[in-house]
Amino acid sequence: MMRTAIERLASLKLTLLILAALGAGILLAYSGALDGTWALAVPLALFAVNLMAAVATRPVFRRQRALLLVHLGLIGIVLLLAAGRLTYLQGTAEVTEGAQFEGELASRDAGPWHWSRLERVRFTNDGFQIAYAPGVQRDKTRNKLRYLDDDGRERRVEIGDHTPLVRHGYRFYTSPNKGFAPAFLWYPAGGGEPMLGGVHLPAYPVHEYGQAREWQLPGTGVKVWTMLQFDEVILDPARASEFRLPRDYKVVMRVGELRRELKPGEAIELAQGRLVFDGLRTWMGYTVFYDWTIQPLLLVCLLSVGALGWHFWRKFGARPWNT
């Protein structure tokens, strides 16, 4: 009975059904009708079981070692793909120039079995440079970062859209998402600890004419509307240019009925405390990616390709090629 059950699991008809289920899962996942993780992981796991049953019941695999290695490699690939879907993470983060990333993501999409270690990742954004070709065509991004390695030594690196910072398995890439960040010092009434933070205005130049955002003062229910105003052209469509801070600007603040225009060092006095405009900075958006299966997949794929080459060499190398 056990052998009969395994032979049924090895059926090619079952293989076709699993492949059809995998194709349907992909379509449903892309349409948003089904969660992509389980829509892919379940058919892949069944496919691995189907392959293992075929290897266990087909005598041909015991006679041809190369063919056995090919199918074992295929089983490994399928299992790793399923594991990758269950444990991956994709997300985004935004960090102000001069500030530290402390494990907080702006958006997050992760497999149900992802064991987060983002709280162990720390780095400081030391600023970036982006060149633009005429027509506001973005060129290479060069973002300088600092972090402490596992031995407590400070490291300095430069990353970009295709050159990541890799920490604890997480890969951080720069993204087209970046902009301006007015920085404020908040002194709570009653002598609390002052706080420094940046308000990330909408991405520039995508929202060139919408550089405003409403936010909330820490520890209060007070909402503050902030707008950055400047007249100069930062990115000139007619010539090559570089992303930079405006030289002459002001920040417009609205708190309830109060409206103020601030320069660096100026403040707004509120009943809840004192808000000081500390100056204008930049912020950088990062794409965050985690998938521990990438390197094992590469290794198993190479071994499988090598075994497949061995199989065909033994099959066709025993006879003259000109016959």
Side-chain angles (χ1 to χ4, degrees), residues 277-294:
F277 177 40
D278 194 57
L280 187 62
R281 304 181 185 180
T282 60
W283 63 266
M284 170 55 68
Y286 301 92
T287 56
V288 187
F289 179 72
Y290 174 90
D291 188 348
W292 66 270
T293 66
I294 292 177

Side-chain angles (χ1 to χ4, degrees), residues 21-22 24-26 28-29 34-44:
L22 180 60
I26 292 172
L28 290 171
L34 195 64
D35 178 68
T37 297
W38 295 111
L40 299 179
V42 172
L44 287 171

Side-chain angles (χ1 to χ4, degrees), residues 220-296:
T220 73
V222 178
K223 293 184 178 181
V224 181
W225 183 84
T226 302
M227 180 175 66
L228 174 66
Q229 284 188 346
F230 59 90
D231 294 326
E232 62 188 287
V233 176
I234 302 295
L235 302 174
D236 191 343
R239 61 180 182 178
S241 51
E242 186 170 304
F243 185 92
R244 60 175 176 82
L245 294 175
R247 297 184 181 91
D248 186 23
Y249 63 86
K250 61 183 176 182
V251 168
V252 179
M253 309 283 293
R254 286 181 182 169
V255 184
E257 298 298 321
L258 176 65
R259 183 186 186 278
R260 289 284 304 277
E261 295 181 0
L262 300 182
K263 291 287 188 177
E266 297 180 342
I268 296 178
E269 301 292 342
L270 301 171
Q272 296 81 5
R274 186 167 184 261
L275 185 64
V276 181
F277 177 40
D278 194 57
L280 187 62
R281 304 181 185 180
T282 60
W283 63 266
M284 170 55 68
Y286 301 92
T287 56
V288 187
F289 179 72
Y290 174 90
D291 188 348
W292 66 270
T293 66
I294 292 177
Q295 293 180 341

Side-chain angles (χ1 to χ4, degrees), residues 9-31:
L9 286 174
S11 170
L12 286 175
K13 294 180 180 178
L14 180 59
T15 305
L16 290 175
L17 288 175
I18 292 171
L19 292 176
L22 180 60
I26 292 172
L27 292 176
L28 290 171
Y30 271 105
S31 67

Side-chain angles (χ1 to χ4, degrees), residues 68-180:
L68 174 62
L69 288 175
V70 171
H71 282 75
L72 289 177
L74 186 57
I75 292 169
I77 290 170
V78 172
L79 287 175
L80 284 169
L81 288 173
R85 288 304 306 171
L86 292 169
T87 58
Y88 81 101
L89 178 136
Q90 289 180 331
T92 61
E94 297 177 1
V95 183
T96 309
E97 178 187 359
Q100 186 180 71
F101 173 78
E102 297 181 339
E104 294 293 330
L105 294 181
S107 66
R108 171 191 169 100
D109 180 26
W113 294 352
H114 178 72
W115 180 35
S116 180
R117 293 180 294 173
L118 268 172
E119 68 279 355
R120 299 170 59 185
V121 180
R122 295 286 187 275
F123 64 83
T124 300
N125 172 18
D126 280 339
F128 60 88
Q129 294 176 305
I130 306 176
Y132 282 80
V136 196
Q137 298 297 316
R138 188 172 65 95
D139 201 351
K140 183 178 179 180
T141 299
R142 301 188 300 276
N143 183 200
K144 298 182 186 301
L145 303 179
R146 280 182 292 125
Y147 68 94
L148 296 179
D149 64 17
D150 295 336
D151 296 324
R153 291 174 295 185
E154 184 178 81
R155 302 289 186 181
R156 295 177 181 268
V157 296
E158 183 177 279
I159 70 169
D161 291 354
H162 307 289
T163 306
L165 168 70
V166 182
R167 297 291 294 153
H168 302 290
Y170 295 92
R171 309 173 75 87
F172 291 79
Y173 299 85
T174 57
S175 75
N177 200 30
K178 81 287 181 189
F180 303 116

